[in-house]
Amino acid sequence: METRIIDGAALARSIRTDLTARVAALAAKNARPGLAVVLVGDDPASQVYVRNKSRACNEAGIASFQHTLAASTSQQELLALVGKLNADPAVHGILVQLPVPKHISADAIIRAIAPEKDVDGFHPENVGLLATGNARFVPCTPAGVMRLLAHAGVDLAGRHAVVVGRSNIVGKPMALLLLEKHATVTICHSRTPDLGAVIRQADVVVAAVGKARMITADMVKSGAAVIDVGINRIPDGPDAGKLCGDVDFAGLLGRAGCMTPVPGGVGPMTIALLLENTVLAAELATLKS
Ligand code: GUN
């Protein structure tokens, strides 16, 4: 079987191009979407993500306000910044890059973000709206996965989708979105015995575990659609230091029906959907004012 490679970079570009018309319509009303990105500490991977998010904003005509705080920042100080951003009319979206340092409660920070500025879709109000089928801001990575599946023509109704990983950022919202499209959904995680036996039943696999190349060809049904959310560094061997996903991409060629690469699959989609959520936040704010 020939495996179709799903080009996330190209799809993300077309989403970003489509956004320019919406940004122009806002500009005609003297409104410019604005995204505040807050980074606490100096995790190198987070620094790269945050830089990429700011650059993408600038290209799309979205104002970006970057706040880089020391790892020693207290929860109170971070809450004060969030409060200021909540009150700033130039800021339509607020993203606090996760993880935050251990002495700060991520839940407390997420709850402090105004739900109508929560472009990550992590606030309990937005999680509840998503869970009840009334989504406002869908978390960017799972939203990007759904667009990739639609773009690849993968029919979800009645199909078995297996999500590997149960995080609040990817696994749980992913399962809700697949369910909404009438898939039969299984969520697997680190305590699932015989992961391979479960994944082998899947018509659609979404891998979001954070373990380099852990999903191998023998674990995947022939013809399955495989979406790889993982971004890992290869620990050793000839490709040490390079990026790879949770899926053994080379091993699955010829077995998966379609598959996303890493890099160039889900990653660029996450950023495109963040821009889309920010434009949506600005549109909703403009409607209200
Ligand atoms: N860390 C990893 N992914 C994400 C994301 O989508 N949003 C935020 N805020 N932090 C993250």
Side-chain angles (χ1 to χ4, degrees), residues 32 100 102 126 133 236 255 266:
R32 184 178 188 210
V100 286
K102 283 197 175 57
N126 288 316
D236 41 39
R255 182 153 187 91
V266 174

Coordinates of all heavy atoms in Angstrom, one line a residue, residues 32 100 102 126 133 236 255 266:
R32 N -7.4 45.7 15.4 CA -6.3 44.8 15.0 C -6.2 43.7 16.1 O -6.0 44.0 17.3 CB -5.0 45.6 15.0 CG -3.8 44.8 14.5 CD -2.5 45.6 14.4 NE -1.5 44.8 13.8 CZ -0.2 45.0 14.0 NH1 0.2 45.9 14.9 NH2 0.7 44.2 13.4
V100 N 4.6 25.6 33.3 CA 5.1 26.7 34.1 C 6.0 26.1 35.2 O 5.8 24.9 35.5 CB 4.0 27.6 34.7 CG1 3.3 28.5 33.6 CG2 2.9 26.7 35.4
K102 N 7.4 24.7 38.7 CA 6.7 23.9 39.6 C 6.0 24.6 40.8 O 5.0 24.2 41.3 CB 7.6 22.8 40.2 CG 7.9 21.7 39.3 CD 8.5 20.5 40.0 CE 8.7 19.3 39.1 NZ 9.5 19.6 37.9
N126 N -14.3 27.1 28.8 CA -14.1 26.7 27.4 C -14.1 25.2 27.2 O -14.6 24.6 26.2 CB -12.9 27.4 26.8 CG -13.1 28.9 26.5 OD1 -14.2 29.3 26.0 ND2 -12.2 29.7 26.9
G133 N -20.4 20.3 23.1 CA -20.7 20.5 21.7 C -20.9 22.0 21.3 O -21.6 22.2 20.3
D236 N 19.9 9.1 20.4 CA 21.2 8.6 20.1 C 21.2 8.1 18.6 O 20.2 8.2 17.9 CB 21.7 7.6 21.1 CG 20.6 6.6 21.4 OD1 19.8 6.3 20.6 OD2 20.5 6.3 22.6
R255 N 2.6 1.0 5.2 CA 1.5 0.3 6.1 C 0.4 1.3 6.4 O -0.8 0.9 6.2 CB 2.2 -0.2 7.4 CG 1.2 -0.9 8.2 CD 1.9 -1.9 9.2 NE 0.9 -2.7 9.9 CZ 0.4 -3.8 9.4 NH1 0.8 -4.3 8.3 NH2 -0.5 -4.5 10.1
V266 N 1.7 18.2 12.2 CA 0.8 18.9 13.2 C 1.4 20.2 13.7 O 0.7 21.2 13.9 CB 0.6 17.9 14.4 CG1 -0.2 18.6 15.5 CG2 -0.1 16.7 13.9

